[in-house]
Amino acid sequence: MIDAVTIWEVKVQLGELCKQQRQRYKISQEDLAQELGLSRYTIQKFENGKNATLDTVLKIANHFNLLEKLYQALKNLENTNDINSLY
Amino acid sequence: MIDAVTIWEVKVQLGELCKQQRQRYKISQEDLAQELGLSRYTIQKFENGKNATLDTVLKIANHFNLLEKLYQALKNLENTNDINSLY
DNA sequence: TATATTTGTGTATTATAATAAACCATATAA
DNA sequence: TTATATGGTTTATTATAATACACAAATATA
């Protein structure tokens, strides 16, 4: 059994993804916050792996055009019968 | 431009996925809440598409062995350079 | 260098997710 | 039928995410 991924690691990864996408489009935390109607502090905390609400996460995902992809991934999981469909 | 997926739809889909997985393993909302250290009301609201915290969502995902899959999906997004890598 | 911008951090307040406890309707089992 | 279990809902309280400031430390730009 390989090391299981932890909730903490997923949150860190989510934050890093946000930071990476944001920097790719060369916008500041302040800019992103403004465009999403959030405070910069909320973006700041999210990018540093802190807890957040689903609305915050999905607003950010939507801004970087990742919502459709997420939705389809969820649809696929629904059709996946087995727990570990690895093969 | 095809209909864009909304944040609301993703939350509904997340809730349905939880409900579906839970029923597949024949456990009640109460059971799931107990096992995750959450209240039944939190599960109830999440399954009905209400807002929730990332911790709640990830606890549920982890319980149904979906955390690793999510983590890998995020890693893949990080390597995806273009916004719409459709081709 | 100096200046501006961005990020990280702190504090107080507000908004709201989470909890705990009930209650009712429905479904399932005895 | 009568119990039992489950899901949906309400109310009150608690915990905490989000906000709005401020300020310092980096980072980039002139």
Side-chain angles (χ1 to χ4, degrees):
Chain A
M1 167 139 168
I2 315 297
D3 318 286
V5 173
T6 66
I7 290 176
W8 176 75
E9 285 171 312
V10 173
K11 285 194 290 187
V12 168
Q13 186 61 30
L14 276 168
E16 286 178 3
L17 182 61
C18 175
K19 186 172 191 173
Q20 181 218 350
Q21 291 287 315
R22 182 175 58 76
Q23 292 178 334
R24 222 162 73 75
Y25 293 105
K26 298 191 169 40
I27 60 177
S28 64
Q29 294 177 341
E30 180 63 37
D31 290 337
L32 181 59
Q34 290 274 337
E35 291 184 53
L36 299 181
L38 298 172
S39 70
R40 184 173 70 85
Y41 194 48
T42 298
I43 302 292
Q44 168 73 15
K45 275 173 31 185
F46 178 63
E47 287 192 354
N48 288 358
K50 304 300 182 188
N51 197 13
T53 62
L54 206 44
D55 274 336
T56 294
V57 179
L58 296 182
K59 276 183 186 175
I60 294 170
N62 184 49
H63 187 265
F64 295 119
N65 290 78
L66 298 174
L67 208 55
E68 178 80 26
K69 210 169 282 190
L70 175 58
Y71 185 75
Q72 293 307 329
L74 290 176
K75 282 287 191 185
N76 287 342
L77 284 178
E78 207 172 46
N79 299 331
T80 303
N81 295 331
D82 197 7
I83 312 174
N84 305 318
S85 303
L86 302 175
Y87 311 103
Chain B
M1 166 139 168
I2 315 297
D3 318 286
V5 174
T6 66
I7 289 175
W8 176 75
E9 286 171 311
V10 173
K11 284 194 290 187
V12 168
Q13 186 61 31
L14 275 169
E16 287 178 2
L17 183 61
C18 176
K19 186 172 191 172
Q20 180 217 350
Q21 291 288 314
R22 182 175 58 76
Q23 292 177 336
R24 222 162 72 75
Y25 294 105
K26 298 191 168 42
I27 60 178
S28 63
Q29 294 177 341
E30 180 64 37
D31 290 337
L32 182 59
Q34 290 274 336
E35 291 183 55
L36 300 180
L38 299 172
S39 71
R40 184 171 71 86
Y41 191 48
T42 298
I43 303 292
Q44 168 73 16
K45 276 174 25 186
F46 178 63
E47 286 191 356
N48 289 1
K50 305 299 182 189
N51 197 12
T53 60
L54 205 45
D55 274 336
T56 293
V57 179
L58 297 183
K59 276 183 186 176
I60 294 171
N62 183 51
H63 187 264
F64 295 119
N65 291 77
L66 298 173
L67 208 56
E68 177 79 27
K69 211 169 280 189
L70 175 59
Y71 185 76
Q72 293 306 328
L74 291 175
K75 282 288 191 185
N76 288 340
L77 284 177
E78 207 171 46
N79 299 330
T80 303
N81 294 332
D82 198 8
I83 312 175
N84 306 317
S85 302
L86 302 174
Y87 310 103

